[in-house]
Amino acid sequence: MRTPHPITAHSPPDPYEEPARLDEGPLEDFLRSASEGPGADTAPPAPAADGESGAEELWTPPDHRRRTGRRRSGRDRGAGRRAERRRPRRKRRRSPLAALPLAAKAVIAVLVLAAFLALGDRWALMYAQRTAADRLRDQMGLSAAPEVDIDGFPFVTQVLDGRLDSVSVTVPDVAADRVSLARVSATATGIRIDGGPTSVRGARIAGLDGEVLLSFDDLNRELGASQVTFTGHGRDQVRARGTLPVAGHDLRLRADARIRRDGPRGISTEVGGMRLDIGDLATFRPGTRRSEGLHLTRGSAARVAKEKRRVKELLSVPSVAERLGVPDTAVREALRDDTGLAELTGSQRFAGRLMKVNLIDLAADHPEVLRRLGFDPALLDGLSRLTRPALVDRLSIGFRLPKPPEGGELRLRDVRVQKDGIRVRVAGGGLAVGK
């Protein structure tokens, strides 16, 4: 046998060094036989003796297979096979629909188709709602597009049939005469469409039910100018409280307005109980009646009756004494003797007479008398110019619904005062929209 390689005993043999180590190989035998002539190698070679080297052995082809080291034992091969069995095998992925029957696949296909049709119907619905909102904004001159909600499903079949079940419209902040309507909402039913699906020219509304909100916040901003506030009182009354500047003086304002229907399409206000308080000195009620005008309050009249100097100044003016209803003899005694004056002013009847005198009329004839009582002449002049119609117009709450087209009907059903404002129910029918 050949000696192992000097470096390592287990290194694989080099196929290119093997022919060099052969002492006598087939090539040398072939050359020797060729030189000796034919018949030289007819005799078979002598068998090798026991214990001799491999120089006289038969040549075998070299093994060029790459060896990885020592030969694996049976135990190693068994462990490798067991590890191979424990390793998970990669299974071929199968489609989840492959195991379903044909009927189930058909049902899934129908559901997918229905989902796509529903999405298309919703897209057409949103497009129609947005288009209707833009047209309403342009036709009504609104600052913002209203909210349009078309009910019913599916939408496309309704359009193809030329009808809509129900359409709800909400319009915020609509200008109406002197005030703004906080919200106008209406629901139209039985709508017939005029035109084809791609060329809608208009529609006719069979029934309409809506609501109009007139907010107190808007009234405070538009009518009160941040100085007068409106609040609800009862089912049909609105109270106005605040201040009103007159000739540089802030007078306390109090007024009550009754809300009522004005015809089939409008509401109006009847303002009553209106007064302006000049501190605790006097009260101004605009109007031409005897109880209206500028009058002393009960407290100020009682204080004036106790001041002898001011009473004598009033009694010294014949027109004032006449307005007070004091006879001339009583006036002369009061001006001559304090005892007679005390008897005249000590009774509650005299204070009541002072409260009945219209100081606006007295200021026109004797402005110096009111100046002595503590009134500003500029304030008296401003109050004389402040008429009842002017104040009523400043506190008037009202609006009218637009006139419907010929053949249509639009009317108010109910007017009610609530906490947040005035709510008005609206009903109509036979209304035409568009061309």
Side-chain angles (χ1 to χ4, degrees):
M1 296 180 65
R2 298 182 184 89
T3 60
H5 196 271
I7 297 177
T8 174
H10 300 286
S11 59
D14 190 350
Y16 298 100
E17 296 180 356
E18 184 71 21
R21 294 196 302 267
L22 296 177
D23 296 334
E24 294 181 1
L27 180 59
E28 294 180 357
D29 297 339
F30 175 76
L31 295 176
R32 187 182 303 113
S33 60
S35 60
E36 293 177 359
D41 57 344
T42 55
D50 295 338
E52 294 182 356
S53 63
E56 298 175 356
E57 293 180 357
L58 294 178
W59 177 87
T60 57
D63 187 6
H64 298 288
R65 290 180 299 177
R66 187 175 181 181
R67 301 184 183 273
T68 58
R70 63 181 180 85
R71 191 174 183 180
R72 295 174 62 185
S73 63
R75 179 180 300 178
D76 295 337
R77 289 194 297 272
R81 285 194 297 268
R82 287 194 297 272
E84 187 70 20
R85 285 196 299 268
R86 287 195 298 268
R87 183 182 304 169
R89 296 183 179 180
R90 297 181 60 183
K91 298 182 178 180
R92 184 179 179 182
R93 298 183 64 180
R94 302 179 62 187
S95 174
L97 299 178
L100 294 178
L102 182 60
K105 295 180 180 179
V107 171
I108 294 176
V110 171
L111 292 178
V112 172
L113 179 61
F116 277 105
L117 292 177
L119 290 176
D121 184 83
R122 294 299 93 183
W123 180 87
L125 174 64
M126 290 187 293
Y127 175 78
Q129 292 177 162
R130 184 170 61 252
T131 303
D134 294 339
R135 289 187 178 181
L136 286 176
R137 179 192 58 192
D138 297 338
Q139 293 178 359
M140 299 178 64
L142 303 176
S143 58
E147 297 179 5
V148 179
D149 186 12
I150 302 176
D151 299 332
F153 180 83
F155 167 72
V156 175
T157 57
Q158 297 184 67
V159 176
L160 294 177
D161 193 28
R163 55 146 186 94
L164 294 176
D165 296 335
S166 176
V167 177
S168 300
V169 180
T170 301
V171 185
D173 194 15
V174 180
D177 297 338
R178 298 176 60 246
V179 297
S180 297
L181 305 179
R183 186 176 69 253
V184 178
S185 58
T187 301
T189 56
I191 305 168
R192 303 298 300 181
I193 301 176
D194 185 13
T198 59
S199 60
V200 178
R201 296 186 296 271
R204 180 166 292 274
I205 301 173
L208 178 69
D209 187 11
E211 183 182 76
V212 177
L213 172 62
L214 186 61
S215 173
F216 286 138
D217 293 337
D218 295 337
L219 294 178
N220 297 338
R221 183 181 65 253
E222 297 170 352
L223 298 183
S226 302
Q227 295 177 334
V228 179
T229 58
F230 294 85
T231 56
H233 180 67
R235 190 178 185 275
D236 59 349
Q237 287 190 0
V238 176
R239 286 181 174 177
R241 301 289 187 269
T243 59
L244 185 66
V246 178
H249 298 267
D250 290 334
L251 308 184
R252 292 198 305 268
L253 171 67
R254 297 169 58 91
D256 296 329
R258 185 179 298 273
I259 309 299
R260 61 181 183 180
R261 284 195 294 179
D262 184 13
R265 293 184 293 108
I267 67 170
S268 61
T269 54
E270 181 182 356
V271 180
M274 185 164 46
R275 53 184 283 186
L276 293 171
D277 295 331
I278 308 173
D280 59 348
L281 179 61
T283 299
F284 175 73
R285 293 180 174 88
T288 57
R289 298 177 183 177
R290 185 176 180 181
S291 60
E292 297 173 341
L294 181 62
H295 299 269
L296 294 173
T297 62
R298 185 175 298 276
S300 62
R303 288 193 299 270
V304 170
K306 293 179 181 179
E307 297 180 5
K308 296 179 181 181
R309 182 179 59 84
R310 290 187 177 182
V311 172
K312 288 182 178 181
E313 290 176 354
L314 292 175
L315 294 177
S316 62
V317 180
S319 59
V320 176
E322 184 180 356
R323 286 187 175 92
L324 291 174
V326 181
D328 294 339
T329 57
V331 172
R332 289 193 296 267
E333 291 179 0
L335 293 177
R336 183 178 62 250
D337 186 8
D338 291 344
T339 303
L341 181 62
E343 291 178 359
L344 178 63
T345 59
S347 63
Q348 295 182 355
R349 186 178 180 183
F350 183 79
R353 289 175 179 179
L354 285 176
M355 294 175 60
K356 292 180 180 180
V357 177
N358 188 356
L359 301 180
I360 295 293
D361 298 338
L362 185 61
D365 300 332
H366 307 280
E368 70 280 357
V369 175
L370 294 182
R371 190 180 299 112
R372 293 171 184 174
L373 294 177
F375 288 95
D376 184 7
L379 176 60
L380 296 176
D381 183 65
L383 291 176
S384 63
R385 299 175 184 273
L386 191 62
T387 62
R388 179 180 179 84
L391 274 178
V392 169
D393 183 68
R394 296 182 65 171
L395 302 176
S396 179
I397 305 170
F399 69 91
R400 298 189 67 84
L401 296 175
K403 186 177 180 180
E406 185 177 356
E409 181 183 9
L410 191 62
R411 66 186 185 280
L412 301 178
R413 293 180 53 187
D414 183 37
V415 180
R416 181 170 299 185
V417 177
Q418 296 183 350
K419 183 178 180 180
D420 55 347
I422 304 171
R423 293 186 180 271
V424 182
R425 296 290 303 276
V426 182
L431 302 174
V433 180
K435 298 180 181 181

